Amino acid sequence: MGTESPTPEKKPSPALIKFGAEMRRMREAAGLTQTAVARRLGCTQTQVSRLEQGKRMPSRSNAEKLDELYGLTERKYFVNQYRRILAYPAAQAWYLDWVDDIEPVALVLRTWDPVLVPGLLQTEAYAREIFRQEPRITPEEVEDRVQARLQRQKIFARKNPASLLAMLDEQVLRRQVGDRRVMRGQFEHLLAVSHCSTISIQIVDARCLVGALGTFIIAELPDGEPDTILADSAAEGQVSSDPEVVSAIWGRYDAIRLWAYPEHVSRKMIEAARRRCI
């Protein structure tokens, strides 16, 4: 029978609800019954029903078999949905709105990070070192979160990619994440992408304190949609298009930008950091 285990009786996470909704949508489009899908998954009709309602945690095997059933193995559609469930637990469910609906369609993304290289610019090795230090995380969860992060970065591979204007605190270049090899690879990646016409990277003077309150991203959206922000912290985060909230973040962004070095100077600073890792 299926290897999935019941989730606790609490409000399902948006990621779990979405997985179930997609299960139901594709099953109905294919003209299949829950019983027929259950036979393919090796579980019961009741378990399929609970999966579709977001009341049961799918297993990796469930996701792989659903991809096979609907001809989505190459895209890993349900496998990526499963990874998203693990990567963005209920405590960070607000983040799904950004990852699924905002970031993929943005025309311009303006980011600020006072602590780490932004997720959209992280190498696989750098991201893995970050996730490995999460409390009580399993090796499987680390890998799923790494893959979810790399999946985010595919927005730069679309036909008309978003422009990314990234500002990093100078201390990010000095903060050790992993060993020298990991850091060298990360700096080499930053140098490489900094030459892309759609990506701008600026280092911000460490004396700038206005950005110390936390990370944020401003998304400029198409079709006249209002700017939307993502503001993150260790305790909580938010996605908002409220004019007052967006205006406050824009004000902080402009204040930080006054402390940013020009791109060519920033590139030299990254190169100097890379040489320190040799």
Side-chain angles (χ1 to χ4, degrees), residues 1-4 38 41-45 47 56 59 61-62 65:
M1 306 298 283
T3 59
E4 65 275 13
L41 298 188
C43 63
T44 67
Q45 179 271 328
Q47 288 173 325
R56 193 175 186 86
S59 67
S61 176
N62 291 155
K65 288 178 180 178

Side-chain angles (χ1 to χ4, degrees), residues 241-273:
S241 58
D242 180 276
E244 291 188 8
V245 175
V246 173
S247 178
I249 293 296
W250 260 112
R252 193 165 296 276
Y253 177 86
D254 288 337
I256 295 169
R257 190 168 52 179
L258 294 175
W259 290 83
Y261 293 102
E263 288 181 68
H264 70 280
V265 175
S266 297
R267 197 173 289 121
K268 289 180 180 178
M269 296 172 73
I270 298 170
E271 174 58 34

